Amino acid sequence: MLLVGAVIVWLFGLLIRVHLLRTPLGSLNADEAYTGLQAMSILNGELPVIMGGAGYTAIFDSYFFVPFVWIFGAHVVPLKLLSSLWWAGAALLMYWLAKRFVGRSWGLLAASMVWVAPGALMLLSTRAYEAYGLGLLVSVLTAFATIRIVADHELPRRWVMLAGAGAGLAFYLHPMFIAVALPMMMVPCWIHRREIRRWWIPAAGSAIFVNVPLLLWNVRNSWPSLSQPAPSTESAPTRFVRFFTGLLPRSFGLRNPGGEWIWGSISLVIYVMFLGLIVWGVVELLRRGARGLVIALPAIFCWPILSLFSNMGFVTDGRYAIVGFPFLIIALVVGVRSLVVLMKRPQLTSFIAPVIAGVLWVGIFLIPWVRDNAPDVVDDPNANVQAIVDVLVADNYEFAAGNYWLTLPIEYQSDRQVLTAVAGHPWGAVFPWQPQFRWGVRLPQTQSEVMAAAPSEVAYVFLPDDEQVDILRLPIEEYERREVGGAVLYLPLVHSVVPE
């Protein structure tokens, strides 16, 4: 029965993702395009350590995508589904993790809640962002290994090393994951505080080992990873409050990206009940000793730790909720189950209640969000960028520059027939606090190649409300202005056409 239920859940989650990819939300944005373009660069011999133009974020997604690019070339849908693989893996691990607390049926519910993610998180599972899906997977894996350690005083070396490596890798993937890795590690570090040889050396050694590439890169570049990615414009308490007023409601499908409440006037009631169940679950976990602490502490301390990061004030797309998501899910399931147990009806507890909870999960936190934000299917959500690519390729332009959100998708969808560079403010601007990097310049090699090309060979592309004509390298009268695919192109009138 559980296997049948798991298959149904998997198919449903897959169908929702397919639907999203067929709507305007299925368009490829620049951050996703970077993942594919970096894979192409790796295929050409580059061996980057972190995301270009930044001091953090591992790019393992690009390395994993290299074989596909090598065999099939640049395609949008496979790139966007890459993240879904990590969510599927996280859901599978969630089952093995959650069933230690709530049993098999409720464990399947917890896994289902990860795979059939709510609201903005479901959309995020179709975004090929570096490190986000992998960070989710590694966080769940680290929690699983850590629970094995705190429950086994023999300290099996393989689990100790896996826990240490997982915590270290989570930090390498993206510093924000330290918000859950650190609270998790506090539990075995306290329990085994005197075990220098069996705990501290293998665990710390594994954490350091997986970070060797990042450490060496920092040594060569004067430790840029120690700097915040953005200057602080608001206080940590302000960001902390926004997590609960903006981030979590959006990520769990109760608010739209614009801030409107999905369920109208009763949304706050649903939200308060939802948070109440999580709090109840956290209390139950705290009563279960060391294993419960491994889940409860990240669920509690994730948010104040995240609020210390200056760029965490951005809540519109719900992306940062992914850090604490699996721990909130376990707390939620534990809370719901504990309330059902109070009814003292074994059949309800073991089978019927998890099914009802799953139906309510989909009906309250997912379907209404999809209905409001992605109701319409289109022929090709990436048609606008493809139209720009078609014009540039037809007119034999090998180089284009302009808005970050347009240039990288153009380069990827053209399969690098058109090389691009970001230009204009703020794209390409220097970080005052990290002068060795430029915001938006993710691929320095192609950036340099485009900017070194003759002005007559470089087309410019802007969003309609952001035509930065002051950055054009030729007088404006020497360009043809053309509106294509919802963007504005400036094409040099004097352009050397390469014969076919």
Side-chain angles (χ1 to χ4, degrees):
M1 183 65 71
L2 284 178
L3 180 59
V4 173
V7 171
I8 293 173
V9 168
W10 179 80
L11 287 174
F12 180 75
L14 182 62
L15 288 174
I16 290 292
R17 287 169 172 83
V18 170
H19 170 76
L20 290 176
L21 292 176
R22 297 178 63 207
T23 71
L25 294 180
S27 61
L28 185 78
N29 69 34
D31 290 341
E32 297 176 277
Y34 166 77
T35 302
L37 291 171
Q38 189 65 81
M40 295 179 180
S41 297
I42 293 169
L43 187 59
N44 290 332
E46 293 184 21
L47 295 174
V49 173
I50 62 169
M51 180 179 289
Y56 65 100
T57 304
I59 53 171
F60 297 142
D61 293 78
S62 293
Y63 280 98
F64 280 113
F65 198 60
V66 166
F68 185 92
V69 172
W70 179 44
I71 297 173
F72 300 106
H75 295 278
V76 171
V77 172
L79 174 61
K80 293 180 73 67
L81 286 177
L82 177 64
S83 185
S84 292
L85 293 178
W86 313 139
W87 282 75
L92 183 62
L93 283 174
M94 175 61 81
Y95 170 73
W96 294 103
L97 176 62
K99 79 171 187 175
R100 290 176 169 269
F101 296 95
V102 292
R104 296 174 62 195
S105 297
W106 292 91
L108 178 59
L109 174 64
S112 301
M113 287 176 166
V114 171
W115 176 240
V116 185
L121 289 177
M122 176 59 86
L123 179 62
L124 182 65
S125 74
T126 67
R127 298 287 195 196
Y129 294 150
E130 299 278 12
Y132 279 77
L134 266 176
L136 172 68
L137 175 62
V138 170
S139 294
V140 179
L141 176 61
T142 304
F144 183 76
T146 304
I147 284 177
R148 293 292 298 265
I149 293 166
V150 300
D152 189 346
H153 290 284
E154 295 298 321
L155 284 174
R157 185 171 293 272
R158 64 181 182 276
W159 290 108
V160 170
M161 296 180 67
L162 182 58
L169 182 58
F171 171 77
Y172 183 0
L173 285 167
H174 197 297
M176 66 182 178
F177 286 106
I178 198 174
V180 291
L182 181 60
M184 271 193 284
M185 289 296 102
M186 288 171 59
V187 182
C189 283
W190 173 254
I191 293 175
H192 306 301
R193 58 191 179 278
R194 295 186 178 90
E195 298 288 351
I196 305 298
R197 182 178 58 85
R198 294 196 302 157
W199 164 249
W200 287 101
I201 292 177
S206 299
I208 294 172
F209 178 77
V210 298
N211 277 277
V212 166
L214 180 62
L215 292 170
L216 293 177
W217 181 86
N218 271 280
V219 169
R220 293 182 58 186
N221 292 277
S222 302
W223 295 94
S225 295
L226 297 179
S227 302
Q228 290 266 14
S232 182
T233 58
E234 58 190 2
S235 66
T238 299
R239 288 191 289 270
F240 178 79
V241 171
R242 189 175 294 133
F243 290 156
F244 292 93
T245 59
L247 180 67
L248 292 180
R250 285 175 169 86
S251 61
F252 282 96
L254 293 175
R255 296 185 79 168
N256 286 321
E260 301 84 5
W261 289 94
I262 298 286
W263 286 90
S265 58
I266 67 169
S267 296
L268 281 175
V269 176
I270 296 173
Y271 185 45
V272 170
M273 293 176 61
F274 172 75
L275 291 180
L277 288 170
I278 290 176
V279 171
W280 181 261
V282 168
V283 172
E284 287 292 312
L285 288 167
L286 290 173
R287 294 171 177 169
R288 300 192 183 191
R291 292 195 305 171
L293 284 173
V294 173
I295 305 301
L297 292 186
I300 296 170
F301 291 108
C302 168
W303 315 108
I305 295 174
L306 279 181
S307 70
L308 301 177
F309 291 84
S310 59
N311 61 322
M312 292 293 159
F314 177 71
V315 301
T316 302
D317 67 357
R319 68 176 64 186
Y320 298 128
I322 193 175
V323 180
F325 176 60
F327 305 94
L328 295 183
I329 289 298
I330 295 180
L332 177 64
V333 172
V334 169
V336 173
R337 182 182 182 277
S338 66
L339 290 180
V340 174
V341 168
L342 293 177
M343 300 179 185
K344 297 181 179 181
R345 298 181 62 180
Q347 185 177 9
L348 180 67
T349 303
S350 63
F351 177 71
I352 298 175
V355 173
I356 295 174
V359 172
L360 290 174
W361 174 258
V362 172
I364 295 174
F365 299 105
L366 177 60
I367 297 300
W369 189 93
V370 172
R371 179 200 62 207
D372 283 11
N373 294 276
D376 301 320
V377 172
V378 296
D379 291 335
D380 182 4
N382 295 285
N384 283 345
V385 170
Q386 190 59 50
I388 299 171
V389 169
D390 292 342
V391 168
L392 295 175
V393 171
D395 289 354
N396 294 293
Y397 282 98
E398 297 180 359
F399 307 106
N403 188 283
Y404 171 81
W405 298 108
L406 292 170
T407 52
L408 268 66
I410 287 170
E411 184 170 344
Y412 181 75
Q413 287 187 223
S414 72
D415 205 355
R416 279 202 159 158
Q417 293 182 70
V418 181
L419 299 182
T420 64
V422 294
H425 179 76
W427 322 110
V430 175
F431 282 115
W433 56 98
Q434 290 184 1
Q436 68 269 49
F437 298 122
R438 289 179 177 271
W439 185 22
V441 180
R442 300 298 187 199
L443 301 162
Q445 186 171 340
T446 54
Q447 178 86 12
S448 299
E449 189 172 347
V450 174
M451 301 313 290
S456 61
E457 303 299 310
V458 181
Y460 281 82
V461 56
F462 303 110
L463 293 172
D465 57 352
D466 189 34
E467 294 184 49
Q468 299 182 45
V469 295
D470 57 308
I471 68 170
L472 299 176
R473 294 167 61 190
L474 296 172
I476 191 171
E477 59 269 14
E478 296 186 26
Y479 288 91
E480 174 194 356
R481 182 185 182 278
R482 194 184 305 180
E483 296 184 6
V484 179
V488 178
L489 290 178
Y490 281 82
L491 306 173
L493 294 175
V494 178
H495 172 59
S496 56
V497 178
V498 180
E500 296 183 0

